[in-house]
Amino acid sequence: MTAVLTPATATGGPETPGRRPGEKKRKRLLALAHSAPLLPAVLLLAVFLFGPVISSLYGSLTNASITGATAANAEFVGLKNYFDLFGDPDFPKSVLLTIVFLVASAIIGQNGVGLGLAVLMQSANKVVRTLVSTIVVTAWVLPEIVASFAAYAFFHDGGTLNEMLGVFGVEGPNWLYTFPMFAVILANVWRGTAFSMLVYTAALNDVPPEIREAAEVDGAKGWQRFAFITVPMIRRSISTNLMLTTLQTLSVFALIFVMTGGGPGTDSTTLPLLAYQEAFKFGELGFGTAIATILLVVGALFSIAYIRALRPEVD
Amino acid sequence: MTAPISMASPNRRAMKALSNGVLVVIGIVFLLPLVWLVLASVDSSATLSVKWPETFTLGNFTAILTPERSLIPLLNSTMLSGGCAILTVVASLLAAYPLSRYKMRVNKPFLYGVLFGTCLPITAMMVPVYSLFVAFNLIDSVGGTILFLAATSLPMAIWMMKNFMDSVPVSLEEAAWTDGASAMTTLRTIVVPLMRPGIGVVFIFVFIQTWGNFFIPFVLLLSPDKQPAAVSIFSFFGQYGAVAYGQLAAFSLLYAVPVLALYVLVTRLGGGSFALAGAVKG
């Protein structure tokens, strides 16, 4: 689309830049022509991603609903939704459940198991390594909903987990009902660990073996080499991976929706489920938008931290 | 010189055996939920627990292979994912070109903005997006859903595409530029052919993500004849009182196999299984 304008500009031409009077204007035109191919992407992002973010901020200040009188013309209600939110006992509980879910499944579970797998694989046999990583990655590549069914079947009353406990003479509880958070946390670890495993495997492969060997010759034990040499060398991967797994886990919906539906009661209703229920099940669009906005703000804070951490690489 | 190595080697062997043992145990734990899917799909009396089928049957598969139950949903999934992947590849390819080839003042803020976009929790966006779709009268519109899906996959795609394009040397294009070729011509005739594997990786990556996406079509597409497999499979689980687990497992496999195959393809195409995860790091 910029076919007419771009060709000569790319080479720069023989003229000396910045001397002629029309140069500044010409440069600006050039930049405009050069950036024209960005247009389709910019339009899509602006309308369908950043537009809703902005409208979310506004929508959370209205009493919009899906049906009824306030559906068509919502009124501006200021911070009422937020005050209601903080007064509603479901909200703090949901925040707490979300934090538990993030810390246990993303920060401890996925990162811990992922790093552990990556470390073990370094000293394992090739066949074992290939087989185990294929299994772990399969759980990750599976469509979300299929993984959720598999996890549902695993934790269900008469499911595989209890069947196996039965072999040892233990009668397992109905995990989805008695310990819903425990079940969804383990399911999220099962599903998401592959990502951390891949990140850490790549990071460990970048650690030069000479350094480890030198430490070994100097008499450092296995765990010392790991704690004082490997971990400091992959710390960048650790921090970015912590951030990314936390963000991914923050938006987990289908897994919990399928396994427990947020229940029993609200015992596994994390913020995405609460926003969904308020907005679509109870039709309180404004209220749901307020929850969504809080989630977006949390996501944005993580994003900023992530971008700051990555900065030297981007520049 | 030989002393420390020979001293370390029995130690190392023990370490290796321990690693193998622990990995095998973790592997089995990770495998169990997957085994259920496979065994239940060929079991005529499947339940929720892993068991060896008394009679193997393909009955579950034949039962679900009807137009309404699997063919139409799978076709819808193909349309949504294919449409979204094509749109994303074209838009990200165009966007990546100036970002990769010219030093412009918009580059950095744009890339930061896009990176910021990759981090937004899409689940949180569904409420405002729903309102937007109501306002534009796009609810239950396949085209509208494709546009939104493309917008959500664009940030990552732009980063991946730019990285792939950066590895194509500019020197190849300079000759064409001096001959008077336009930027779009060199993109089409020089850059695109050279980065074909990279484009393939982005296409498949977006396709896999969209294929597996449940929440977006679940909220935006209401008529059953427009819903993709991700959504139709859920209604078939949620609405019937007694769930036919064998059929559910059979459908899950039918729906999951294409993306597993594509994933294998993408690992062959570009830089191993890490291509997908690596892209996330920018």
Side-chain angles (χ1 to χ4, degrees):
Chain A
M1 65 194 77
T2 52
V4 196
L5 285 164
T6 26
T9 66
T11 49
E15 71 266 54
T16 42
R19 292 287 159 89
R20 290 180 209 170
E23 190 64 17
K24 214 172 175 187
K25 200 176 168 193
R26 206 183 75 97
K27 255 192 163 167
R28 201 173 299 155
L29 262 174
L30 270 184
L32 211 65
H34 282 168
S35 44
L38 287 171
L39 206 65
V42 169
L43 269 178
L44 268 173
L45 291 173
V47 174
F48 289 100
L49 227 48
F50 292 98
V53 172
I54 306 294
S55 77
S56 168
L57 294 176
Y58 175 75
S60 67
L61 306 175
T62 68
N63 64 354
S65 61
I66 286 188
T67 51
T70 49
N73 20 3
E75 283 165 32
F76 187 83
V77 295
L79 292 174
K80 183 176 175 299
N81 288 321
Y82 291 96
F83 288 128
D84 288 353
L85 207 54
F86 288 103
D88 185 338
D90 285 348
F91 179 71
K93 184 176 173 187
S94 180
V95 171
L96 188 70
L97 289 175
T98 309
I99 293 170
V100 168
F101 187 59
L102 289 180
V103 172
S105 74
I107 297 178
I108 299 173
Q110 291 183 7
N111 275 275
V113 179
L115 183 57
L117 282 171
V119 169
L120 286 171
M121 278 180 189
Q122 287 223 307
S123 54
N125 170 315
K126 191 165 185 280
V127 181
V128 173
R129 188 164 57 207
T130 313
L131 267 176
V132 175
S133 66
T134 306
I135 294 168
V136 174
V137 167
T138 304
W140 178 58
V141 180
L142 275 185
E144 205 180 357
I145 200 96
V146 173
S148 310
F149 286 137
Y152 172 84
F154 186 76
F155 285 104
H156 199 268
D157 203 7
T160 306
L161 179 58
N162 281 348
E163 186 105 329
M164 281 169 41
L165 289 175
V167 174
F168 301 102
V170 179
E171 198 180 327
N174 183 348
W175 299 97
L176 298 172
Y177 193 82
T178 318
F179 302 107
M181 281 310 288
F182 181 74
V184 296
I185 284 167
L186 286 189
N188 192 44
V189 174
W190 171 69
R191 173 153 169 76
T193 292
F195 180 82
S196 301
M197 182 187 81
L198 293 173
V199 169
Y200 290 134
T201 302
L204 290 177
N205 286 340
D206 285 346
V207 175
E210 304 89 78
I211 299 182
R212 219 172 328 154
E213 276 157 22
E216 197 173 344
V217 171
D218 287 346
K221 288 197 177 60
W223 67 269
Q224 287 175 325
R225 289 200 299 276
F226 180 71
F228 299 117
I229 294 167
T230 312
V231 169
M233 290 200 74
I234 63 167
R235 68 174 192 287
R236 276 185 75 88
S237 299
I238 295 178
S239 63
T240 54
N241 192 55
L242 276 173
M243 208 112 60
L244 288 173
T245 49
T246 309
L247 273 164
Q248 284 159 7
T249 301
L250 187 66
S251 55
V252 166
F253 176 83
L255 191 73
I256 305 179
F257 189 63
V258 167
M259 286 178 71
T260 68
T266 54
D267 287 352
S268 60
T269 304
T270 56
L271 285 172
L273 274 103
L274 188 68
Y276 168 80
Q277 283 171 351
E278 290 296 344
F280 299 118
K281 226 165 131 189
F282 306 132
E284 294 293 338
L285 223 44
F287 199 60
T289 313
I291 303 168
T293 306
I294 288 175
L295 258 180
L296 281 174
V297 170
V298 174
L301 290 176
F302 273 107
S303 307
I304 291 166
Y306 174 58
I307 292 167
R308 288 192 77 96
L310 274 185
R311 183 161 274 174
E313 276 176 38
V314 179
D315 285 346
Chain B
M1 192 59 215
T2 45
I5 291 172
S6 65
M7 289 247 300
S9 92
N11 203 344
R12 231 177 234 172
R13 208 172 303 148
M15 181 69 188
K16 191 166 182 170
L18 184 71
S19 301
N20 284 333
V22 176
L23 279 177
V24 167
V25 171
I26 298 180
I28 291 172
V29 171
F30 269 73
L31 188 62
L32 279 172
L34 299 173
V35 172
W36 174 78
L37 275 180
V38 177
L39 289 182
S41 73
V42 290
D43 190 341
S44 54
S45 56
T47 60
L48 283 169
S49 58
V50 168
K51 67 174 166 57
W52 200 252
E54 280 161 27
T55 46
F56 278 92
T57 172
L58 288 178
N60 292 324
F61 286 95
T62 49
I64 56 159
L65 275 176
T66 60
E68 317 79 76
R69 293 187 79 178
S70 18
L71 304 181
I72 292 175
L74 288 171
L75 198 69
N76 288 340
S77 291
T78 314
M79 260 169 49
L80 281 180
S81 312
C84 166
I86 292 171
L87 198 60
T88 308
V89 163
V90 172
S92 63
L93 195 60
L94 286 171
Y97 191 76
L99 294 172
S100 168
R101 292 305 187 241
Y102 307 124
K103 286 231 171 300
M104 296 183 300
R105 232 180 307 163
V106 290
N107 283 11
K108 227 194 279 173
F110 185 78
L111 279 170
Y112 278 130
V114 165
L115 190 61
F116 185 76
T118 60
C119 296
L120 290 176
I122 296 300
T123 343
M125 306 255 328
M126 285 324 290
V127 187
V129 166
Y130 181 85
S131 313
L132 179 85
F133 271 55
V134 170
F136 286 177
N137 206 10
L138 281 174
I139 291 291
D140 211 20
S141 142
V142 174
T145 310
I146 289 178
L147 286 175
F148 178 59
L149 286 165
T152 61
S153 23
L154 254 180
M156 201 86 85
I158 290 174
W159 274 90
M160 288 174 85
M161 212 56 113
K162 181 185 175 291
N163 285 343
F164 284 124
M165 210 178 275
D166 284 346
S167 61
V168 177
V170 197
S171 53
L172 297 170
E173 286 149 82
E174 277 164 356
W177 285 336
T178 29
D179 288 345
S182 75
M184 285 301 111
T185 311
T186 52
L187 173 63
R188 204 182 60 237
T189 57
I190 298 171
V191 184
V192 169
L194 283 172
M195 55 182 289
R196 221 178 271 148
I199 295 173
V201 168
V202 176
F203 183 90
I204 296 173
F205 171 70
V206 174
F207 192 96
I208 290 179
Q209 277 216 321
T210 313
W211 184 269
N213 198 312
F214 164 74
F215 199 34
I216 294 175
F218 179 65
V219 171
L220 298 180
L221 293 174
L222 306 178
S223 358
D225 60 324
K226 288 180 186 167
Q227 285 170 347
V231 180
S232 76
I233 192 182
F234 178 72
S235 54
F236 143 42
F237 169 80
Q239 283 167 3
Y240 304 111
V243 183
Y245 288 108
Q247 294 182 15
L248 181 73
F251 188 91
S252 299
L253 284 185
L254 204 63
Y255 163 56
V257 163
V259 295
L260 294 177
L262 281 176
Y263 183 78
V264 173
L265 183 67
V266 89
T267 53
R268 294 262 163 92
L269 259 182
S273 55
F274 195 62
L276 294 188
V280 181
K281 290 177 66 194

